[in-house]
Amino acid sequence: MKKRKEPRPMAELPSKRLRIADVASAWGCSHQHVRNLIKRGELPAIRIGSLFRIRPDDVEAYENREECQKAPPAPTASQSGTVISTRSGGTPRRARDAFRLGQRIGQQQSAP
C-alpha cells in the first residue's frame, strides 16, 4: 500500500483579487466608471492581458479617501416629493397648456 504524501507548504497567496464587475456591483456603478478610475490612476489595479484585477485593500483605501467621503448629492425632485418643472421652468400645468396650444396650431396649419 502506498503512503499518501503530505502536501508541501506553499508560500502564502495574496488575498483574492476583485474583478471590475465585482467592484462595480459593490459600488452600484457601471463597469466603465471603474475602468475610468483605473485609467486615471485613482484606483490601483493590475492588468493580466486584457483583464484587470483589484486588491480589496485598494478598494477600501479608495472608499476611505476624502473625495469619496463628500456629501451625497442633493435629492432630485422625484425623490424629495416636490413638483417637477419643465425645461422652460414652468409647472406641469403650463406644460400641458403649451402642448395643447401646439396641437391647435398644428391643426390650423394642416387644415386646407
Side-chain angles (χ1 to χ4, degrees):
M1 215 156 135
K2 288 186 175 181
K3 216 177 188 184
R4 286 192 166 180
K5 290 184 179 180
E6 292 289 324
R8 289 196 287 178
M10 295 180 66
E12 187 176 327
L13 296 174
S15 62
K16 184 177 178 184
R17 310 270 181 182
L18 302 172
R19 299 174 302 146
I20 286 179
D22 299 330
V23 176
S25 177
W27 287 349
C29 65
S30 69
H31 297 125
Q32 189 60 49
H33 180 70
V34 178
R35 286 182 184 277
N36 291 340
L37 291 173
I38 292 169
K39 185 178 179 180
R40 290 193 305 254
E42 295 178 33
L43 180 63
I46 60 169
R47 186 174 183 166
I48 305 167
S50 63
L51 305 174
F52 286 97
R53 293 296 182 255
I54 306 153
R55 292 182 338 160
D57 294 341
D58 291 332
V59 172
E60 187 176 340
Y62 180 82
E63 289 174 345
N64 291 331
R65 283 194 206 134
E66 287 182 32
E67 297 134 15
C68 224
Q69 298 295 327
K70 291 180 182 172
T76 61
S78 60
Q79 293 171 335
S80 64
T82 59
V83 175
I84 299 171
S85 64
T86 62
R87 278 194 268 172
S88 62
T91 62
R93 181 175 177 201
R94 287 185 191 157
R96 185 183 66 228
D97 294 341
F99 177 75
R100 288 183 182 161
L101 177 62
Q103 285 182 321
R104 278 187 268 151
I105 293 171
Q107 288 172 350
Q108 290 172 357
Q109 290 176 348
S110 64

